[in-house]
């Protein structure tokens, strides 16, 4: 039996809409969970190899945090003024129109969100396989089972899904704090770093910033909760600012611990700095504890991607009239249930492809990453466009130092876009192909939208 507020217009009642029943802690868990992935555990050695001094290393990570914080301030203004489950899809819609917004959502749905879900499920399965051999096909079954389990958890309702997200992120934060404790432990006991030899002179700050900014990416998806936070506009502002502040502090702490435990040269040469640092400080037990925490980071990101991806998909279907129930909100559970099933189903198909191609799908997502940065540039510029187009819209929060900070954020994202294009070279054509496929759906999107009823705006 479908509840009356599950989405359909029954007995003359308006369709269900997102309600404000989440706390700021849920928002921060979403923001931090999207950001803290494998980047801080994998890319730090490459950053260390690009810069010859520990001070320079800390500086680039701090600069990356500040630049991402500028982006969070931009999104805080837009999310507070135009709260919606679509997040940056909704901002692009209002700033540039339906076609560009649809292509953004299409890239997320077709490859970026669903692809990362599939790949990270295998990352988690590989971690488990290291501790508990799963056999020839075991990692594939565990990857698929992980996606199914997280979908089931989120289908139970928003409180269950967000409660799980908060728990996953708490484990990740504890793991990063443990890394900090490893550095403190070695300092107290006078234990020397593993390799404190001088690093060959290098000032490749541009290369370092590419890896740093990639490690800070993902926070923008927290804006999909802007219509569900109890604190209203203040909630999304606190979510983005609090989440990015937490991530920046943790990243700085972890990098200090890496340098203290491994030495700058040791960090630059390490393949698994977190595990090595914990082993040096606490032995095999510490090593396994941090490996477990790193594995949980994959789960936290997958869960956050399901939450954000389902809301973006719901918003597109709602705006266009496409896919029927996918554009309906389940008021009883507080989730876009059909959209969640849709994105989870696509992720499962892509997980099967990832298993068959033995890493080729991960390469595909890397090739599509320029599309991510292209739209992030446009999202940053949307702050200025929306101020021009909707000058009288209430803005409970305004970006400080406007328009300098939005321009700075756009310039930074444009640089990362350029660097990513230079890295993938011809592979960037993959992203163009994905967008081209989306353009084929645009006529259908437009016709369906003409048949759809005009939706109400959600007030802040």
């Amino acid at each position: 039996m479908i509840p009356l507020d599950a989405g359909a217009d029954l007995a003359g009642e308006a369709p269900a809409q997102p309600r404000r029943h989440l706390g700021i802690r849920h928002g921060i868990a979403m923001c931090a969970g999207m950001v803290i992935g494998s980047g801080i555990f994998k890319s730090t050695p490459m950053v260390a190899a690009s810069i010859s001094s520990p001070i320079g290393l800390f500086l680039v990570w701090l600069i990356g945090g500040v630049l991402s914080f500028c982006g969070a301030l931009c999104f805080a203004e837009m999310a507070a003024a135009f709260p919606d489950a679509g997040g940056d899809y909704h901002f692009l819609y209002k700033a540039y129109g339906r076609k560009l917004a649809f292509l953004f959502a299409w890239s997320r749905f077709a490859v970026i969100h669903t692809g990362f879900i599939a790949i990270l499920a295998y990352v988690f399965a590989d971690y488990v396989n290291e501790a508990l051999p799963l056999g020839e096909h075991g990692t594939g079954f565990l990857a698929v089972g992980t996606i199914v389990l997280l979908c089931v958890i989120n289908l139970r309702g928003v409180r269950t899904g967000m409660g799980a997200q908060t728990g996953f992120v708490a484990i990740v934060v504890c793991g990063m704090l443990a890394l900090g404790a490893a550095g403190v432990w070695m300092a107290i006991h006078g234990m020397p770093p593993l390799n404190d030899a001088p690093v060959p002179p290098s000032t490749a700050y541009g290369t370092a910033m590419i890896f740093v900014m990639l490690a800070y990416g993902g926070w923008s998806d927290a804006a999909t909760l802007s219509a569900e936070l109890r604190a209203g506009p203040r909630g999304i502002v606190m979510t983005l600012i609090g989440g990015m502040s937490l991530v920046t502090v943790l990243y700085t702490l972890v990098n200090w611990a890496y340098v203290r435990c491994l030495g700058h040269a040791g960090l630059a040469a390490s393949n698994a700095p977190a595990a090595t640092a914990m082993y040096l400080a606490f032995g095999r037990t510490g090593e396994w504890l941090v490996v477990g925490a790193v594995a949980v980071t994959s789960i936290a990101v997958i869960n956050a991607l399901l939450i954000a991806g389902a809301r973006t998909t719901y918003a597109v279907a709602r705006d266009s009239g496409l896919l029927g129930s996918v554009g309906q909100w389940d008021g009883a559970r507080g989730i876009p249930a059909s959209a969640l099933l849709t994105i989870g189903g696509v992720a499962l198909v892509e997980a099967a492809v990832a298993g068959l191609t033995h890493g080729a799908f991960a390469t595909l997502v890397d090739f599509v990453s320029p599309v991510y940065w292209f739209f992030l540039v446009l999202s940053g510029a949307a702050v200025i466009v929306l101020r021009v187009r909707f000058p009288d819209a209430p803005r409970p929060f305004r970006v400080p130092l406007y328009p300098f900070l939005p321009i700075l954020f756009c310039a930074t994202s444009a640089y990362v876009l350029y660097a990513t294009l230079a890295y993938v070279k011809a592979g960037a054509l993959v992203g163009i192909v994905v967008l081209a496929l989306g353009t084929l759906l645009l006529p259908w999107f437009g016709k369906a939208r003409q048949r759809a009823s005009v939706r109400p705006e959600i007030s802040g």
Side-chain angles (χ1 to χ4, degrees):
M1 180 176 180
I2 302 175
L4 288 179
D5 62 351
D9 187 359
L10 303 176
E13 293 185 12
Q17 300 287 332
R19 293 186 296 108
R20 297 193 178 279
H21 48 193
L22 295 177
I24 293 175
R25 73 180 186 280
H26 297 120
I28 291 177
M30 176 73 171
C31 182
M34 283 293 298
V35 176
I36 306 175
S38 60
I40 186 61
F41 303 108
K42 293 290 187 182
S43 64
T44 300
M46 291 176 278
V47 177
S50 302
I51 300 172
S52 57
S53 72
I55 294 177
L57 175 68
F58 300 142
L59 185 62
V60 294
W61 282 100
L62 182 60
I63 291 174
V66 170
L67 293 174
S68 298
F69 192 82
C70 292
L73 293 174
C74 294
F75 271 66
E77 173 175 320
M78 294 187 290
F82 308 102
D84 189 87
D88 34 358
Y89 155 78
H90 183 63
F91 311 148
L92 292 170
Y93 194 123
K94 295 188 77 67
Y96 307 111
R98 64 178 181 84
K99 293 182 179 180
L100 190 67
F102 176 80
L103 291 178
F104 164 84
W106 165 254
S107 68
R108 292 295 199 268
F109 176 80
V111 179
I112 297 177
H113 277 161
T114 50
F116 271 115
I117 289 172
I119 291 166
L120 288 169
Y122 276 95
V123 171
F124 172 72
D126 288 339
Y127 272 108
V128 174
N129 190 47
E130 289 293 324
L132 181 67
L134 300 173
E136 182 180 0
H137 304 292
T139 54
F141 284 121
L142 180 58
V144 169
T146 299
I147 297 173
V148 171
L149 177 60
L150 291 175
C151 284
V152 170
I153 289 174
N154 282 279
L155 283 170
R156 289 182 60 84
V158 65
R159 294 188 181 278
T160 303
M162 291 305 303
Q165 180 67 16
T166 303
F168 295 145
V169 171
I171 294 172
V172 173
V173 170
C174 286
M176 299 180 80
L177 292 176
L179 279 169
V184 172
W185 179 268
M186 290 187 65
I188 290 175
H189 289 79
M191 300 168 65
L194 179 65
N195 183 357
D196 205 19
V199 177
S202 176
T203 56
Y205 285 97
T207 301
M209 285 304 301
I210 294 172
F211 293 113
V212 168
M213 294 305 295
L214 289 174
Y216 274 107
W219 50 265
S220 57
D221 281 317
T224 57
L225 299 182
S226 57
E228 299 174 69
L229 294 168
R230 284 194 300 267
R234 174 178 170 271
I236 191 60
V237 173
M238 295 300 296
T239 285
L240 289 165
I241 293 177
M244 289 313 298
S245 298
L246 174 64
V247 170
T248 302
V249 170
L250 289 173
Y251 277 12
T252 303
L253 174 65
V254 167
N255 276 280
W256 173 82
Y258 285 161
V259 172
R260 180 60 189 80
C261 295
L262 307 180
H264 195 146
L267 173 59
S270 177
N271 292 321
T276 305
M278 288 292 285
Y279 177 77
L280 290 172
F282 304 123
R284 189 68 64 183
T285 300
E287 179 184 18
W288 281 110
L289 284 175
V290 79
V291 168
V294 173
V296 174
T297 62
S298 300
I299 299 295
V301 179
I302 293 171
N303 199 62
L305 286 167
L306 285 170
I307 293 170
R311 280 157 174 77
T312 301
T313 302
Y314 150 78
V316 175
R318 173 204 63 195
D319 289 351
S320 64
L322 292 172
L323 304 177
S325 63
V326 176
Q328 295 178 355
W329 189 271
D330 188 329
R333 288 181 283 180
I335 57 172
S338 296
L340 178 60
L341 285 171
T342 301
I343 194 171
V346 173
L348 285 172
V349 172
E350 294 179 355
V353 174
L356 293 173
T357 55
H358 301 290
F361 197 80
T363 303
L364 171 62
V365 174
D366 288 340
F367 285 161
V368 178
S369 63
V371 176
Y372 169 82
W373 289 101
F374 168 72
F375 281 113
L376 201 60
V377 173
L378 294 180
S379 294
V383 177
I384 299 173
V385 175
L386 290 173
R387 287 226 189 170
V388 174
R389 293 196 63 186
F390 303 95
D392 298 326
R395 287 177 168 81
F397 175 82
R398 289 176 175 265
V399 179
L401 301 178
Y402 176 90
F404 171 74
L405 286 189
I407 293 174
L408 175 63
F409 173 68
C410 289
T412 302
S413 299
Y415 170 76
V416 180
L417 169 61
Y418 164 77
T420 306
L421 287 170
Y423 176 75
V424 302
K425 296 183 174 64
L429 292 173
V430 176
I432 296 174
V433 170
V434 170
L435 292 181
L437 292 174
T439 61
L440 297 178
L441 299 175
L442 275 173
W444 183 40
F445 175 75
K447 292 177 182 178
R449 183 176 179 272
Q450 291 175 2
R451 295 193 298 268
S453 60
V454 178
R455 62 182 175 83
E457 290 289 343
I458 302 173
S459 64

PDB file of all heavy atoms in Angstrom, residues 122-136:
ATOM      1  N   TYR A 122      34.600  -2.068  -5.747  1.00  0.00           N
ATOM      2  CA  TYR A 122      35.724  -2.977  -5.968  1.00  0.00           C
ATOM      3  C   TYR A 122      36.928  -2.612  -5.100  1.00  0.00           C
ATOM      4  O   TYR A 122      37.673  -3.495  -4.654  1.00  0.00           O
ATOM      5  CB  TYR A 122      36.123  -2.978  -7.452  1.00  0.00           C
ATOM      6  CG  TYR A 122      35.288  -3.925  -8.274  1.00  0.00           C
ATOM      7  CD1 TYR A 122      34.160  -3.474  -8.953  1.00  0.00           C
ATOM      8  CD2 TYR A 122      35.598  -5.283  -8.350  1.00  0.00           C
ATOM      9  CE1 TYR A 122      33.381  -4.339  -9.696  1.00  0.00           C
ATOM     10  CE2 TYR A 122      34.822  -6.165  -9.082  1.00  0.00           C
ATOM     11  CZ  TYR A 122      33.715  -5.689  -9.758  1.00  0.00           C
ATOM     12  OH  TYR A 122      32.939  -6.555 -10.476  1.00  0.00           O
ATOM     13  N   VAL A 123      37.136  -1.314  -4.872  1.00  0.00           N
ATOM     14  CA  VAL A 123      38.217  -0.900  -3.975  1.00  0.00           C
ATOM     15  C   VAL A 123      38.000  -1.504  -2.588  1.00  0.00           C
ATOM     16  O   VAL A 123      38.929  -2.062  -1.975  1.00  0.00           O
ATOM     17  CB  VAL A 123      38.293   0.634  -3.891  1.00  0.00           C
ATOM     18  CG1 VAL A 123      39.267   1.068  -2.786  1.00  0.00           C
ATOM     19  CG2 VAL A 123      38.741   1.219  -5.233  1.00  0.00           C
ATOM     20  N   PHE A 124      36.769  -1.414  -2.086  1.00  0.00           N
ATOM     21  CA  PHE A 124      36.444  -1.995  -0.786  1.00  0.00           C
ATOM     22  C   PHE A 124      36.650  -3.507  -0.804  1.00  0.00           C
ATOM     23  O   PHE A 124      37.244  -4.085   0.120  1.00  0.00           O
ATOM     24  CB  PHE A 124      35.005  -1.658  -0.410  1.00  0.00           C
ATOM     25  CG  PHE A 124      34.515  -2.374   0.815  1.00  0.00           C
ATOM     26  CD1 PHE A 124      34.978  -2.022   2.069  1.00  0.00           C
ATOM     27  CD2 PHE A 124      33.603  -3.417   0.712  1.00  0.00           C
ATOM     28  CE1 PHE A 124      34.539  -2.686   3.212  1.00  0.00           C
ATOM     29  CE2 PHE A 124      33.154  -4.082   1.836  1.00  0.00           C
ATOM     30  CZ  PHE A 124      33.624  -3.722   3.095  1.00  0.00           C
ATOM     31  N   ALA A 125      36.170  -4.154  -1.874  1.00  0.00           N
ATOM     32  CA  ALA A 125      36.314  -5.605  -1.965  1.00  0.00           C
ATOM     33  C   ALA A 125      37.786  -6.015  -2.012  1.00  0.00           C
ATOM     34  O   ALA A 125      38.165  -7.041  -1.424  1.00  0.00           O
ATOM     35  CB  ALA A 125      35.580  -6.118  -3.197  1.00  0.00           C
ATOM     36  N   ASP A 126      38.611  -5.240  -2.676  1.00  0.00           N
ATOM     37  CA  ASP A 126      40.040  -5.544  -2.736  1.00  0.00           C
ATOM     38  C   ASP A 126      40.687  -5.439  -1.360  1.00  0.00           C
ATOM     39  O   ASP A 126      41.563  -6.250  -1.011  1.00  0.00           O
ATOM     40  CB  ASP A 126      40.740  -4.609  -3.720  1.00  0.00           C
ATOM     41  CG  ASP A 126      40.400  -4.926  -5.171  1.00  0.00           C
ATOM     42  OD1 ASP A 126      39.965  -6.059  -5.443  1.00  0.00           O
ATOM     43  OD2 ASP A 126      40.559  -4.027  -6.021  1.00  0.00           O
ATOM     44  N   TYR A 127      40.280  -4.435  -0.569  1.00  0.00           N
ATOM     45  CA  TYR A 127      40.806  -4.312   0.795  1.00  0.00           C
ATOM     46  C   TYR A 127      40.435  -5.548   1.618  1.00  0.00           C
ATOM     47  O   TYR A 127      41.263  -6.101   2.347  1.00  0.00           O
ATOM     48  CB  TYR A 127      40.262  -3.056   1.472  1.00  0.00           C
ATOM     49  CG  TYR A 127      41.084  -1.815   1.237  1.00  0.00           C
ATOM     50  CD1 TYR A 127      40.618  -0.798   0.415  1.00  0.00           C
ATOM     51  CD2 TYR A 127      42.315  -1.644   1.854  1.00  0.00           C
ATOM     52  CE1 TYR A 127      41.358   0.352   0.197  1.00  0.00           C
ATOM     53  CE2 TYR A 127      43.071  -0.503   1.645  1.00  0.00           C
ATOM     54  CZ  TYR A 127      42.589   0.491   0.820  1.00  0.00           C
ATOM     55  OH  TYR A 127      43.329   1.623   0.608  1.00  0.00           O
ATOM     56  N   VAL A 128      39.181  -5.962   1.505  1.00  0.00           N
ATOM     57  CA  VAL A 128      38.735  -7.145   2.246  1.00  0.00           C
ATOM     58  C   VAL A 128      39.498  -8.381   1.781  1.00  0.00           C
ATOM     59  O   VAL A 128      39.891  -9.242   2.587  1.00  0.00           O
ATOM     60  CB  VAL A 128      37.220  -7.337   2.079  1.00  0.00           C
ATOM     61  CG1 VAL A 128      36.771  -8.648   2.735  1.00  0.00           C
ATOM     62  CG2 VAL A 128      36.456  -6.161   2.676  1.00  0.00           C
ATOM     63  N   ASN A 129      39.732  -8.459   0.481  1.00  0.00           N
ATOM     64  CA  ASN A 129      40.423  -9.612  -0.084  1.00  0.00           C
ATOM     65  C   ASN A 129      41.855  -9.736   0.439  1.00  0.00           C
ATOM     66  O   ASN A 129      42.402 -10.836   0.536  1.00  0.00           O
ATOM     67  CB  ASN A 129      40.431  -9.506  -1.610  1.00  0.00           C
ATOM     68  CG  ASN A 129      40.910 -10.773  -2.275  1.00  0.00           C
ATOM     69  OD1 ASN A 129      40.474 -11.882  -1.934  1.00  0.00           O
ATOM     70  ND2 ASN A 129      41.821 -10.639  -3.220  1.00  0.00           N
ATOM     71  N   GLU A 130      42.471  -8.596   0.792  1.00  0.00           N
ATOM     72  CA  GLU A 130      43.811  -8.634   1.351  1.00  0.00           C
ATOM     73  C   GLU A 130      43.833  -9.317   2.712  1.00  0.00           C
ATOM     74  O   GLU A 130      44.801 -10.015   3.058  1.00  0.00           O
ATOM     75  CB  GLU A 130      44.361  -7.205   1.488  1.00  0.00           C
ATOM     76  CG  GLU A 130      44.695  -6.537   0.175  1.00  0.00           C
ATOM     77  CD  GLU A 130      45.864  -7.200  -0.523  1.00  0.00           C
ATOM     78  OE1 GLU A 130      46.798  -7.652   0.177  1.00  0.00           O
ATOM     79  OE2 GLU A 130      45.846  -7.277  -1.769  1.00  0.00           O
ATOM     80  N   ALA A 131      42.781  -9.106   3.486  1.00  0.00           N
ATOM     81  CA  ALA A 131      42.723  -9.686   4.835  1.00  0.00           C
ATOM     82  C   ALA A 131      42.080 -11.060   4.837  1.00  0.00           C
ATOM     83  O   ALA A 131      42.444 -11.930   5.634  1.00  0.00           O
ATOM     84  CB  ALA A 131      41.942  -8.754   5.764  1.00  0.00           C
ATOM     85  N   LEU A 132      41.113 -11.271   3.955  1.00  0.00           N
ATOM     86  CA  LEU A 132      40.354 -12.516   3.909  1.00  0.00           C
ATOM     87  C   LEU A 132      40.202 -12.935   2.459  1.00  0.00           C
ATOM     88  O   LEU A 132      39.312 -12.458   1.767  1.00  0.00           O
ATOM     89  CB  LEU A 132      38.971 -12.317   4.566  1.00  0.00           C
ATOM     90  CG  LEU A 132      38.060 -13.531   4.620  1.00  0.00           C
ATOM     91  CD1 LEU A 132      38.644 -14.585   5.552  1.00  0.00           C
ATOM     92  CD2 LEU A 132      36.659 -13.109   5.113  1.00  0.00           C
ATOM     93  N   PRO A 133      41.089 -13.810   1.954  1.00  0.00           N
ATOM     94  CA  PRO A 133      41.033 -14.202   0.543  1.00  0.00           C
ATOM     95  C   PRO A 133      39.637 -14.676   0.139  1.00  0.00           C
ATOM     96  O   PRO A 133      39.047 -15.549   0.785  1.00  0.00           O
ATOM     97  CB  PRO A 133      42.054 -15.340   0.454  1.00  0.00           C
ATOM     98  CG  PRO A 133      43.022 -15.057   1.554  1.00  0.00           C
ATOM     99  CD  PRO A 133      42.193 -14.469   2.672  1.00  0.00           C
ATOM    100  N   LEU A 134      39.120 -14.070  -0.929  1.00  0.00           N
ATOM    101  CA  LEU A 134      37.738 -14.322  -1.339  1.00  0.00           C
ATOM    102  C   LEU A 134      37.611 -15.254  -2.542  1.00  0.00           C
ATOM    103  O   LEU A 134      36.500 -15.555  -2.962  1.00  0.00           O
ATOM    104  CB  LEU A 134      37.059 -12.983  -1.676  1.00  0.00           C
ATOM    105  CG  LEU A 134      36.994 -11.957  -0.539  1.00  0.00           C
ATOM    106  CD1 LEU A 134      36.450 -10.634  -1.055  1.00  0.00           C
ATOM    107  CD2 LEU A 134      36.134 -12.471   0.604  1.00  0.00           C
ATOM    108  N   GLY A 135      38.717 -15.661  -3.092  1.00  0.00           N
ATOM    109  CA  GLY A 135      38.646 -16.544  -4.254  1.00  0.00           C
ATOM    110  C   GLY A 135      38.592 -15.769  -5.554  1.00  0.00           C
ATOM    111  O   GLY A 135      38.577 -14.536  -5.583  1.00  0.00           O
ATOM    112  N   GLU A 136      38.516 -16.505  -6.649  1.00  0.00           N
ATOM    113  CA  GLU A 136      38.602 -15.908  -7.981  1.00  0.00           C
ATOM    114  C   GLU A 136      37.502 -14.901  -8.246  1.00  0.00           C
ATOM    115  O   GLU A 136      37.745 -13.826  -8.801  1.00  0.00           O
ATOM    116  CB  GLU A 136      38.570 -17.011  -9.036  1.00  0.00           C
ATOM    117  CG  GLU A 136      38.698 -16.492 -10.460  1.00  0.00           C
ATOM    118  CD  GLU A 136      38.663 -17.612 -11.484  1.00  0.00           C
ATOM    119  OE1 GLU A 136      38.546 -18.794 -11.074  1.00  0.00           O
ATOM    120  OE2 GLU A 136      38.742 -17.306 -12.690  1.00  0.00           O
TER     121      GLU A 136
END
